[in-house]
Amino acid sequence: SGARTGHVRIPASKSQAHRLLICAALGEEKTEVVCDGISADIAATAKCLSALGAKIEEMETGFLVSPIKKVPEGRCDLYCGESGSTLRFLLPIVGALGAQAVFHREGRLPQRPLAPLDSVLKEHGMTLREDGDLLYCSGQLIGGNYTIAGNVSSQYISGLLMALPLLIRDSLLMVSGPLESAAYVAMTEDALQLSKLTIPQMGAMWAIPGQQRCHLPKRTVVEGDWSNTAFFLCMGALSKEGVTVEGLNLQSSQGDRGVLDVLRRFGAEVTDQGVRPPQEHGESPARARRTSRRERRRPCHHGRSRAARRERRNAERPSPRDVCRHGGLRRDGRDHGRQRRLRGKVLPPLLGGLWQLERRRFMSSTYGENLHLTIFGQSHSPAIGVTVEGIPAGEKVDLDELH
């Protein structure tokens, strides 16, 4: 029990590992893909790429990938398990290679939709046929104008971005409607840029020249996963000594990297050590620790009288009736009264300033004089909550009323 401290090396990002493995298999030279931790989905992608003609050796540090020189003749059986990423990424690539393939799907994957990607592929030369858990694919994709909805799955767009550079003719990929999960598309762009491919973007479309091959660095490191990192950095934000997380790319396009800004707004000290370009190493450590009240306080200028310093503080501090917005929070004018309201519930008087919550698109926190209120939430699940520090011992708390 108590605050946590120490060092942890975070597992590799599964999302980036998919992309880098595919780029390595579509290259011209042998590539070592350093991947700290191999999940079932990553193993499925590696197995499918091997069935398409790549030679992939699993090593202690990750994979050694020899690229696809020629697609095997006859039927290629691609066992993608339950990995939707493997299926959606490789489906356009199978068409770009002109392979005759059968995807073997397990679990709930056969029930997951492929529209509108399947229609787009059929319009450009592929033949698709489903038979239970099997998906039969044949035909050769041709270059041209590709249009796909952006509000269904970013994996459809990523798969096309990786496949279209292989075609003989140039292509234009257009996204209609709002783009969901744009951070994942940005990760694909990063992998292609690292592979030295030319895919200029113009608004909601990409002009993609054909006859391109990937050229990844001979040793490419899969960056750490920021979704897992967030938990450890939050531990460090509650600890005086802090927690150091290694294996990260501090310039990553992963959306969960935003935890750094959130923790800084909470008042935590987040630092990096030895930041290096991600193209060369792909990893840097990040450290988070709790800052003391003295560190969070604005530094005092010596030489000024106590009255002048008090006047300066009062001028900077909003009055109780002022509304200060910060990360979805507001200071309520009734803060110094005997009652406070939290989402319509009446709470007993608490010590010091209390920040009343206001529903926003995101959640954050700030610090009171005697009470420390922190909100937390987790993406992709209904888990939300709040922690309150500084309540005197013996103070009765009515959990039902709080809820």
Side-chain angles (χ1 to χ4, degrees), residues 9-18 21 33-43 58-63 221-225 228:
R9 184 168 187 86
I10 212 68
S13 165
K14 185 173 67 173
S15 298
Q16 197 196 39
H18 281 296
L21 271 176
V33 178
V34 179
C35 185
D36 192 356
I38 300 173
S39 66
D41 288 1
I42 297 304
E58 187 172 332
M59 306 187 303
E60 184 177 350
T61 58
F63 300 95
V221 179
V222 180
E223 65 189 38
D225 179 60
N228 282 304

Side-chain angles (χ1 to χ4, degrees), residues 40-315:
D41 288 1
I42 297 304
T45 295
K47 188 174 182 179
C48 290
L49 291 170
S50 297
L52 288 171
K55 183 180 179 182
I56 301 181
E57 304 174 39
E58 187 172 332
M59 306 187 303
E60 184 177 350
T61 58
F63 300 95
L64 184 62
V65 183
S66 297
I68 299 171
K69 298 297 183 181
K70 183 181 179 182
V71 177
E73 296 182 1
R75 167 173 151 172
C76 300
D77 288 288
L78 309 181
Y79 294 89
C80 56
E82 298 184 59
S83 175
S85 299
T86 302
L87 174 63
R88 293 173 173 181
F89 287 157
L90 293 184
L91 192 54
I93 291 172
V94 165
L97 295 173
Q100 181 181 351
V102 180
F103 284 95
H104 296 253
R105 302 171 293 179
E106 299 177 4
R108 295 179 54 86
L109 188 56
Q111 284 76 48
R112 296 175 64 179
L114 287 173
L117 178 62
D118 53 354
S119 299
V120 172
L121 297 177
K122 290 177 182 178
E123 292 171 1
H124 292 81
M126 283 190 70
T127 299
L128 304 178
R129 179 175 61 88
E130 291 188 274
D131 183 8
D133 295 344
L134 304 179
L135 176 62
Y136 293 84
C137 311
S138 60
Q140 172 71 58
L141 281 180
I142 58 174
N145 295 334
Y146 286 72
T147 303
I148 192 164
N151 61 349
V152 180
S153 173
S154 64
Q155 293 175 347
Y156 297 162
I157 300 169
S158 293
L160 289 170
L161 284 174
M162 291 185 283
L164 296 182
L166 300 174
L167 304 183
I168 297 176
R169 290 173 49 192
D170 298 347
S171 300
L172 186 66
L173 175 59
M174 294 171 283
V175 176
S176 61
L179 176 60
E180 299 290 341
S181 303
Y184 288 106
V185 177
M187 291 182 67
T188 304
E189 292 180 297
D190 292 344
L192 296 178
Q193 183 179 7
L194 188 61
S195 303
K196 300 179 181 179
L197 293 186
T198 302
I199 50 166
Q201 183 179 4
M202 301 169 290
M205 65 180 67
W206 288 266
I208 305 175
Q211 303 185 53
Q212 298 189 73
R213 298 286 288 188
C214 296
H215 296 86
L216 279 174
K218 292 185 177 180
R219 186 178 188 271
T220 300
V221 179
V222 180
E223 65 189 38
D225 179 60
W226 278 95
S227 179
N228 282 304
T229 298
F231 295 100
F232 294 99
L233 291 182
C234 289
M235 289 181 189
L238 300 175
S239 166
K240 290 183 179 180
E241 292 79 11
V243 171
T244 299
V245 183
E246 298 178 339
L248 300 173
N249 173 12
L250 299 182
Q251 286 77 43
S252 172
S253 294
Q254 296 182 52
D256 289 316
R257 187 174 62 90
V259 68
L260 294 179
D261 294 331
V262 174
L263 290 178
R264 289 189 179 105
R265 292 205 303 271
F266 283 169
E269 176 186 323
V270 184
T271 61
D272 58 79
Q273 306 167 5
V275 181
R276 293 168 289 182
Q279 289 83 358
E280 296 179 8
H281 299 280
E283 56 181 55
S284 294
R287 180 178 178 84
R289 72 176 181 89
R290 184 179 66 188
T291 56
S292 65
R293 185 178 300 169
R294 177 175 297 177
E295 289 174 309
R296 292 194 296 270
R297 190 178 297 151
R298 182 180 295 273
C300 177
H301 297 280
H302 296 286
R304 294 180 179 175
S305 66
R306 180 176 299 178
R309 296 198 297 269
R310 186 185 306 113
E311 182 179 355
R312 177 186 178 92
R313 288 197 302 268
N314 291 337

